[in-house]
Amino acid sequence: MKVTANKFVSVTYDLNVGEGEERELMERATPENPLKFIFGTGMMLPAFEDALKGLEVGGKFNFSIAPADAYGEYNEAHLMELPKNIFEVDGKFDSEMIQEGNTVPMMDSNGNRLHGAVMEVKDDVVLMDFNHPLAGETLHFSGEVLDVHEPTAKEIATMSAGGCGCGDDCGDGCSDSGCGCGGC
């Protein structure tokens, strides 16, 4: 069976970013914890799916996705200084959660959920980066198709209930960098 619309697909992959000898391994889906998704349902980056289309079980792949077809270019406008008081819990600044290097779930004024990386904690403000962690990066995938089949009712329910393909749900095993996991 080939990778086509509405098929359940399971793949292993290594995701590297960077160029030439400077490539860095960012994520790995192994045979024990493969990426699982229903092809053509908007769960994955379109360019990722395009590269897998038509492959069969055992099919190997090795391709790159440019930033424009992945998470876009890095945008300086997505760096924001936010007032420190919005990070207060019970009237006290949450210094445990709001530390340089942490990624914090947030919500914009329209109710959209997003993740912000804490870049710096200053006296009155917190510098946050709302770019996707892989913005500006060329994504290099290499891997193999493990399984292609008609999805079961349970697989459809799991995926439509927010499962990201990193396992049965988007729990601890799911990465925010997640190129393959477009929605985690």
Side-chain angles (χ1 to χ4, degrees):
M1 186 173 288
K2 293 185 179 196
V3 175
T4 57
N6 300 314
K7 298 290 189 262
F8 181 89
V9 178
S10 177
V11 299
T12 62
Y13 67 83
D14 283 354
L15 165 62
N16 289 277
V17 299
E19 298 305 322
E21 298 298 316
E22 302 298 315
R23 286 189 184 174
E24 175 185 358
L25 179 65
M26 292 298 294
E27 187 173 272
R28 176 173 280 155
T30 63
E32 299 77 31
N33 191 24
L35 171 65
K36 302 172 189 174
F37 63 99
I38 298 177
F39 189 87
T41 59
M43 296 174 69
M44 311 305 290
L45 293 170
F48 183 85
E49 288 194 344
D50 287 347
L52 297 181
K53 188 173 186 175
L55 292 178
E56 297 178 3
V57 172
K60 296 192 183 320
F61 54 87
N62 189 352
F63 60 89
S64 297
I65 302 175
D69 295 322
Y71 298 103
E73 295 296 338
Y74 188 86
N75 186 340
E76 294 288 333
H78 294 163
L79 284 173
M80 298 181 179
E81 288 188 336
L82 300 176
K84 217 171 170 181
N85 68 336
I86 69 170
F87 299 102
E88 291 181 357
V89 176
D90 297 327
K92 186 174 180 187
F93 179 72
D94 186 357
S95 59
E96 189 173 310
M97 176 65 99
I98 310 303
Q99 296 182 32
E100 187 175 322
N102 281 359
T103 299
V104 181
M106 300 191 70
M107 192 175 295
D108 68 13
S109 59
N110 295 324
N112 298 310
R113 294 173 187 257
L114 56 152
H115 287 35
V118 178
M119 303 305 290
E120 185 178 357
V121 178
K122 300 180 181 182
D123 288 339
D124 297 334
V125 296
V126 176
L127 179 62
M128 302 286 294
D129 185 350
F130 290 99
N131 283 288
H132 188 280
L134 294 175
E137 297 284 359
T138 298
L139 310 178
H140 305 279
F141 289 93
S142 60
E144 181 177 350
V145 177
L146 298 179
D147 186 25
V148 180
H149 63 262
E150 294 294 335
T152 65
K154 181 180 179 190
E155 289 166 340
I156 292 169
T158 298
M159 298 295 168
S160 63
C164 68
C166 296
D168 289 330
D169 59 42
C170 257
D172 294 337
C174 194
S175 161
D176 284 329
S177 62
C179 44
C181 289
C184 295

